[in-house]
């Protein structure tokens, strides 16, 4: 077989000094000598790749089809792989020191393909609640049609509550003749900002299952990852990302990702190869650019959020601010925060005094912050969950999740904090 054009081994250390991901985003996984000396990776706009020899094609396909474990070691066809996506996966994995990453055409593609890989008819998925609405739709409305059950526990659950959910799921799986195939978490919950105790989930799983039957723990880390939370350090096996949000960071693309254990992601890759849903070359290229400034953007957004929340907290028209930097000393949530989080993020809940009219007057008066759903971009966004993202949630559940009509959801960007404070002060005057 002819030698594949493999990138040179990238530097991860200088002597014993380990390089930080922020540094490695500028070059890791790309060898300019394979692309005419181009400093930056070109966008590889091609649907297929030329094999040097027929034997190479056979060898690569053995990797694609799983005849040889561990994936392919050559470029084959752009539904399976492309250079931009491969560089992106190498770099994305670095942020959580993960063995492997996979990237997808959207966050929802990543989540669907992950769940389809592990859940079979008769199985049960254990989930924290609330999850991103479309994720709940997949589990509760779509997978349920294929005989896959679910058991949920609230995001802030104690070890005892998690134990009880696992026991219930095991009973349900026994009854259905299946297994508990996944523990799927999201932290913090949206818009409650309740954090999941991943360490407690990990310990509960060890207690409830022997090694052979242990379901993987996946966690949607879109809101705090990869800078402010690294849940694989607390026992999660797979981190799930909507790369559309902080990782993409400019509100100009849609993509998703998984990072985690190679043995698990090696099972997901063939499902992506078959169903489709890989991240295309152009989007992957844009994400490579985004990741170069990920730390700068997230750090600035986090500092801005701290200043803005300090201003909002004491304002007479504000009832309260649901921000991870304001958790009560000695509370269970503060304890989870201290064990799991490296920063409070830049997405939070602002509860105004009053109801929908007050929230709408506030939103309509904003001049810098844009009135839009989504989060994690360079620009500040604000929306009203009760009237928008969570409009379809039944009243009872909405009340349980504290989604009141006066709730405004805010994602702070990288503008000057003083300008944002002036914008919010002005809008509060208009309430
Ligand atoms: C946006 C989002 C998703 C879905 O991602 P898409 O890229 O829109 O498909 C999943 N989870 C969370 C927490 C999100 O915010």
């Amino acid at each position: 077989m002819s030698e594949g054009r493999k990138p040179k081994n990238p530097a991860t250390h200088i002597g014993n000094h380990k390089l930080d991901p922020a540094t490695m985003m500028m070059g890791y996984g790309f060898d300019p000598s394979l692309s005419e000396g181009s400093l930056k990776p070109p966008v590889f706009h091609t649907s297929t790749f030329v094999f040097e020899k027929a034997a190479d094609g056979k060898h690569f396909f053995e990797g694609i089809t799983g005849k040889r474990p561990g994936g392919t070691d050559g470029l084959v066809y752009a539904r399976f792989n492309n250079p931009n996506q491969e560089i992106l996966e190498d770099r994305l994995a670095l942020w959580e020191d993960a063995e492997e990453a996979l990237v997808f055409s959207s966050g929802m593609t990543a989540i669907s393909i992950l769940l389809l890989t592990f859940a079979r008819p008769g199985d049960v998925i254990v989930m924290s609640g609330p999850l991103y609405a479309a994720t709940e739709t997949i589990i509760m409305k779509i997978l349920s049609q294929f005989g896959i059950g679910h058991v949920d526990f609230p995001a802030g659950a104690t070890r005892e509550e998690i134990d009880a959910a696992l026991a219930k799921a095991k009973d349900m799986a026994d009854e259905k003749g299946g297994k508990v195939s996944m523990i799927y978490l999201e932290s913090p919950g949206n818009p409650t900002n309740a954090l999941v105790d991943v360490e407690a989930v990990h310990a509960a799983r060890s207690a409830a299952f022997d090694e052979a039957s242990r379901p993987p723990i996946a966690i949607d880390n879109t809101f705090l990852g990869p800078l402010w939370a690294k849940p694989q350090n607390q026992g999660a096996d797979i981190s799930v990302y909507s790369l559309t949000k902080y990782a993409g960071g400019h509100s100009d693309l849609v993509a998703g990702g998984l990072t985690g254990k190679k043995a698990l992601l090696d099972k997901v890759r063939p499902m992506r190869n078959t169903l489709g849903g890989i991240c295309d070359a152009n989007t992957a290229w844009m994400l490579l650019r985004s990741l170069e400034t990920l730390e700068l953007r997230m750090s600035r957004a986090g500092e801005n959020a701290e200043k803005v929340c300090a201003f909002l907290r004491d304002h007479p028209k504000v009832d309260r601010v649901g921000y991870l930097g304001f958790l009560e000393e000695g509370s269970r949530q503060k304890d989870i925060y201290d064990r799991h989080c490296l920063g409070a993020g830049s997405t939070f809940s602002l509860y105004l005094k009053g109801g929908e009219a007050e929230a709408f007057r506030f939103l309509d008066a904003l001049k810098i912050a844009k009135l839009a759903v989504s989060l994690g971009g360079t620009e500040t966004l604000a929306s009203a969950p009760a009237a928008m993202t969570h409009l379809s949630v039944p009243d009872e559940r909405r009340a349980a999740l504290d989604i009141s009509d006066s709730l405004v959801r805010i994602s702070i960007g990288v503008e000057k904090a003083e300008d944002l404070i002036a914008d919010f002060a002005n809008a509060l005057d208009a309430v």
Side-chain angles (χ1 to χ4, degrees):
M1 200 196 90
S2 53
E3 233 352 77
R5 305 231 305 157
K6 281 266 157 204
K8 276 188 294 207
N9 264 348
T12 57
H13 289 75
I14 294 177
N16 289 331
H17 174 80
K18 186 171 190 256
L19 299 176
D20 190 274
T23 301
M24 290 160 77
M25 287 306 108
M26 269 60 85
Y28 185 80
F30 174 63
D31 183 351
S33 72
L34 297 182
S35 295
E36 313 274 2
S38 180
L39 173 69
K40 291 296 186 194
V43 191
F44 288 86
H45 276 305
T46 185
S47 60
T48 193
F49 298 87
V50 177
F51 308 134
E52 281 183 30
K53 292 268 182 353
D56 293 346
K58 181 180 181 193
H59 179 78
F60 296 161
F61 263 96
E62 283 168 351
I64 293 282
T65 54
K67 283 212 151 111
R68 194 185 55 249
T72 186
D73 41 17
L75 293 159
V76 175
Y77 178 67
R79 196 180 74 242
F80 305 146
N81 54 9
N82 72 70
N84 299 101
Q85 156 260 329
E86 290 193 339
I87 301 165
L88 174 61
E89 289 177 352
D90 288 348
R91 291 190 191 169
L92 188 64
L94 294 175
W95 288 98
E96 288 195 73
D97 245 329
E99 290 171 2
E100 196 100 327
L102 295 174
V103 290
F104 299 81
S105 59
S106 74
M108 290 321 303
T109 311
I111 294 165
S112 318
I113 292 180
L114 172 69
L115 293 170
L116 280 173
T117 301
F118 289 99
R120 291 291 168 272
D123 286 358
V124 176
I125 295 169
V126 178
M127 54 176 264
S128 65
L131 298 176
Y132 184 72
T135 310
E136 292 199 352
T137 301
I138 292 179
I139 295 175
M140 297 175 178
K141 302 213 177 112
I142 299 177
L143 294 182
S144 59
Q145 296 178 50
F146 297 91
I148 296 162
H150 70 273
V151 168
D152 65 340
F153 61 83
T158 61
R159 170 69 196 272
E160 291 67 34
E161 291 170 310
I162 298 164
D163 285 339
L166 293 183
K168 185 173 161 195
K170 281 170 78 173
D171 286 348
M172 191 192 278
D174 283 346
E175 232 165 78
K176 290 160 66 74
K179 60 189 183 305
V180 179
S181 51
M182 169 140 306
I183 301 175
Y184 190 92
L185 314 173
E186 184 171 321
S187 182
N190 175 21
T192 57
N193 264 4
L195 295 166
V196 176
D197 191 340
V198 180
E199 285 179 337
V201 172
H202 183 260
R205 178 185 67 172
S206 300
F209 297 92
D210 57 32
E211 215 167 322
S213 65
R214 243 164 238 174
I217 300 172
I219 178 164
D220 189 326
N221 196 32
T222 298
F223 274 85
L224 291 179
L227 203 66
W228 298 309
K230 300 179 189 288
Q232 291 169 54
N233 292 343
Q234 283 84 44
D237 301 304
I238 297 171
S239 297
V240 177
Y241 288 97
S242 169
L243 300 175
T244 313
K245 314 295 166 54
Y246 286 99
H250 297 70
S251 307
D252 56 4
L253 60 84
V254 174
L258 303 174
T259 73
K261 300 227 163 78
K262 179 167 165 45
L264 295 171
L265 296 191
D266 278 349
K267 295 182 179 169
V268 180
R269 191 182 300 98
M271 187 67 88
R272 182 186 68 178
N273 285 346
T274 303
L275 296 184
I278 197 168
C279 182
D280 70 277
N282 197 66
T283 305
W285 184 90
M286 288 170 74
L287 277 161
L288 290 174
R289 195 174 193 184
S290 294
L291 290 186
E292 294 190 12
T293 56
L294 179 111
E295 191 193 53
L296 288 173
R297 287 183 286 106
M298 291 184 79
S299 304
R300 170 66 169 260
E303 287 161 19
N304 278 354
E306 197 178 334
K307 291 178 190 165
V308 166
C309 287
F311 162 77
L312 292 172
R313 180 187 214 171
D314 298 326
H315 196 283
K317 290 188 179 165
V318 170
D319 181 30
R320 76 203 141 85
V321 180
Y323 167 61
L324 289 174
F326 291 164
L327 295 172
E328 202 184 316
E329 261 335 303
S331 66
R332 176 168 161 69
Q333 281 289 305
K334 180 71 163 79
D335 173 51
I336 301 174
Y337 178 83
D338 289 341
R339 286 185 283 118
H340 291 54
C341 299
L342 303 160
S346 86
T347 302
F348 59 89
S349 296
L350 170 66
Y351 293 88
L352 295 169
K353 287 179 185 161
E356 185 182 84
E358 283 72 16
F360 280 16
R361 276 205 293 278
F362 174 80
L363 289 169
D364 290 341
L366 291 169
K367 292 182 192 304
I368 298 173
K370 299 283 187 296
L371 177 46
V373 299
S374 195
L375 63 133
T378 46
E379 64 289 296
T380 295
L381 300 180
S383 64
M388 297 168 191
T389 47
H390 293 72
L391 185 64
S392 61
V393 175
D395 289 348
E396 203 173 282
R397 180 122 192 280
R398 220 188 283 172
L401 293 177
D402 209 8
I403 305 173
S404 68
D405 290 339
S406 74
L407 163 61
V408 174
R409 193 75 175 146
I410 296 174
S411 164
I412 295 288
V414 302
E415 303 92 339
K416 277 279 177 196
E418 294 69 25
D419 294 340
L420 292 173
I421 290 170
D423 193 24
F424 289 134
N426 183 63
L428 284 167
D429 284 345
V431 167

